[in-house]
Amino acid sequence: MIQAPGKTRQEIMKKASRFTLVLLIISITAFPALGDDETDFIVPDYGYTVDYYRSYGEPVLKASVTGNPEFSRGETANLQIKIANKGVIDGFKRLNVNQAGISDANEEMLAKAEMEEEKECTTAKNINAVLVSGTEYIEVKSASNIQNVEELETGYTANIQYTIKIDSDTPAGNYELLLPVSYDYQANVRTATGEIINLGLTDMEYTIDYDTKEETLRIPISIKSEPKFEVTEVSGNLKQGESRVINVTYMNTREEVAQDATARIIIMTPLSTQKSMVRLGDIGPGESRTASFEIASAREATVKNYGIDSEIKYVDKDGETSFSNNLKVHVPLEATEKKISITGIAIILIILIALYQIVNMYRKRNRNNDETAPGDENE
């Protein structure tokens, strides 16, 4: 949880404001209450102003999501946040001050005019807001993280926008985003006296003190409960030039029933299939279903493990057709056993017959040579 800074910073700012008034002259950017144009001006000290009224009230900012605060896992969404100012004035206190040389009627008129100016105390100015995620499952994109609202009067709203990314493994349920904001608001109005002319300030009617407030607003959102699937088992393998049946088991690992579920595989060359979709029926939380796909492999397919894309189409609890994330099915492909073809066998037989004929011819020749050879000399 992000906490706003303590009172130390506010006390320092108040002391700095008093020190500025004592110095009398300092250049700052005028707030709207001092005029429509932004000019450098002289800040008169308390001797040139009187304080007729003190108001009791300040801005009260609330924040909420515009539209449906429910999101899905894996979604990147534009989060629209509405900031509302619900500040109220609890009352006014008339201070016991009087200007010398002014009639009671005129002074009362000046006091009432100051009181009207005091009603601006509930207006928040220069609102700076930064969205913070308190969980690792939700990421706030930094490009849109700093938002500003120039002015927000009480009773009005302003819209700001952030981009969030929700992790695909986010558990369903309620979450809270934090919105630290800082803004300025009118702390006190003082009426200028006639003596202010001596400073050369003829058009100044009031001086205004501003305070800065820092706080953290809370943004509740929820992550939709829905089925989530995993491939838990794959049985079977592929073989070059053959069709084989591959069994794929899918499990619903989340909270909701997937109604009328259908499994589909996406096959690319060198693999092919005649039927890429298998109906699984309803799959409840923690339940599994097995789909059988007949997949053919080309004879020249490379021997390796193939990652086949698959997905589950189903009907969710709202009756809408939904699709799972991509689910990889890993299947090994084996080489075809080497077999001798008929032609090869015929060639081998021809070679064997030829060898036989040659050997047989050689034997006959040797036998004939033996029969025609001359007899022994003794005969």
Side-chain angles (χ1 to χ4, degrees):
M1 174 177 171
I2 297 178
Q3 296 182 347
K7 295 182 179 179
T8 302
R9 179 174 175 178
Q10 294 183 1
E11 290 172 355
I12 292 173
M13 292 184 66
K14 289 180 180 178
K15 290 178 181 178
S17 177
R18 296 191 192 102
F19 182 71
T20 301
L21 290 172
V22 172
L23 290 177
L24 292 180
I25 300 175
I26 186 171
S27 296
I28 64 173
T29 301
F31 284 102
L34 295 176
D36 295 331
D37 298 327
E38 292 187 354
T39 59
D40 291 339
F41 68 99
I42 298 174
V43 179
D45 68 6
Y46 276 41
Y48 294 91
T49 61
V50 293
D51 197 2
Y52 289 114
Y53 273 97
R54 284 293 175 89
S55 59
Y56 296 93
E58 60 184 47
V60 177
L61 301 188
K62 303 290 184 181
S64 61
V65 175
T66 299
N68 189 356
E70 186 177 53
F71 300 91
S72 299
R73 300 182 183 95
E75 181 179 2
T76 298
N78 289 324
L79 184 68
Q80 304 282 345
I81 295 178
K82 178 173 66 178
I83 298 180
N85 186 351
K86 299 185 177 182
V88 295
I89 299 176
D90 296 322
F92 298 92
K93 181 181 180 181
R94 178 67 160 91
L95 302 178
N96 187 24
V97 295
N98 297 98
Q99 292 192 57
I102 297 180
S103 65
D104 292 344
N106 287 338
E107 190 156 47
E108 190 59 30
M109 183 178 62
L110 291 173
K112 288 182 178 179
E114 181 185 307
M115 186 177 70
E116 286 298 316
E117 294 294 328
E118 290 278 3
K119 292 180 180 179
E120 290 291 319
C121 64
T122 56
T123 298
K125 298 177 182 292
N126 193 29
I127 302 171
N128 290 303
V130 177
L131 188 65
V132 178
S133 172
T135 172
E136 61 181 349
Y137 293 112
I138 303 174
E139 176 189 357
V140 180
K141 294 295 186 180
S142 58
S144 66
N145 202 12
I146 301 176
Q147 300 290 315
N148 176 266
V149 177
E150 205 171 295
E151 181 174 293
L152 187 60
E153 297 180 13
T154 187
Y156 289 84
T157 62
N159 293 317
I160 56 178
Q161 177 178 295
Y162 300 92
T163 301
I164 60 173
K165 183 177 181 181
I166 300 166
D167 192 88
S168 58
D169 291 326
T170 304
N174 297 322
Y175 292 84
E176 194 174 64
L177 301 176
L178 304 179
L179 189 72
V181 297
S182 66
Y183 55 90
D184 301 317
Y185 66 96
Q186 182 177 286
N188 189 32
V189 177
R190 297 176 63 85
T191 301
T193 68
E195 298 294 326
I196 203 170
I197 297 176
N198 296 330
L199 297 177
L201 303 175
T202 58
D203 297 328
M204 180 176 289
E205 298 181 63
Y206 307 101
T207 63
I208 301 175
D209 295 332
Y210 283 87
D211 279 349
T212 298
K213 186 174 182 180
E214 298 178 349
E215 60 180 320
T216 298
L217 309 179
R218 300 180 182 278
I219 313 294
I221 65 170
S222 63
I223 305 303
K224 184 189 302 183
S225 60
E226 55 190 355
K228 187 176 187 296
F229 294 95
E230 292 181 2
V231 174
T232 58
E233 185 179 0
V234 178
S235 62
N237 55 24
L238 302 175
K239 184 166 285 192
Q240 289 175 319
E242 296 184 15
S243 290
R244 294 288 185 92
V245 174
I246 303 299
N247 298 309
V248 183
T249 301
Y250 299 94
M251 175 181 283
N252 179 2
T253 62
R254 291 300 190 186
E255 311 85 358
E256 293 293 331
V257 176
Q259 302 176 47
D260 195 22
T262 300
R264 181 172 80 101
I265 58 173
I266 302 168
I267 297 295
M268 299 181 69
T269 305
L271 307 180
S272 62
T273 183
Q274 296 296 319
K275 185 179 180 182
S276 63
M277 301 178 68
V278 176
R279 189 174 182 276
L280 302 176
D282 295 348
I283 309 177
E287 294 182 347
S288 297
R289 297 285 186 277
T290 299
S292 297
F293 301 99
E294 186 171 354
I295 301 174
S297 169
R299 183 176 297 277
E300 66 275 9
T302 302
V303 175
K304 66 175 186 177
N305 286 330
Y306 284 83
I308 300 172
D309 293 330
S310 74
E311 65 181 4
I312 304 290
K313 182 179 77 170
Y314 63 93
V315 177
D316 64 20
K317 64 179 181 180
D318 298 322
E320 301 291 334
T321 298
S322 299
F323 293 86
S324 70
N325 294 329
N326 182 41
L327 303 165
K328 281 288 185 183
V329 178
H330 296 280
V331 184
L333 186 143
E334 299 177 352
T336 302
E337 295 177 3
K338 300 296 183 181
K339 297 180 180 179
I340 301 176
S341 65
I342 294 175
T343 302
I345 294 174
I347 292 173
I348 292 173
L349 289 175
I350 292 172
I351 293 173
L352 291 175
I353 292 171
L355 289 173
Y356 175 77
Q357 293 292 344
I358 293 171
V359 171
N360 191 44
M361 185 182 301
Y362 180 76
R363 287 177 178 175
K364 285 182 178 180
R365 181 179 298 172
N366 288 337
R367 188 165 46 250
N368 291 335
N369 290 337
D370 292 340
E371 290 176 352
T372 58
D376 293 335
E377 291 179 358
N378 296 329
E379 293 178 358

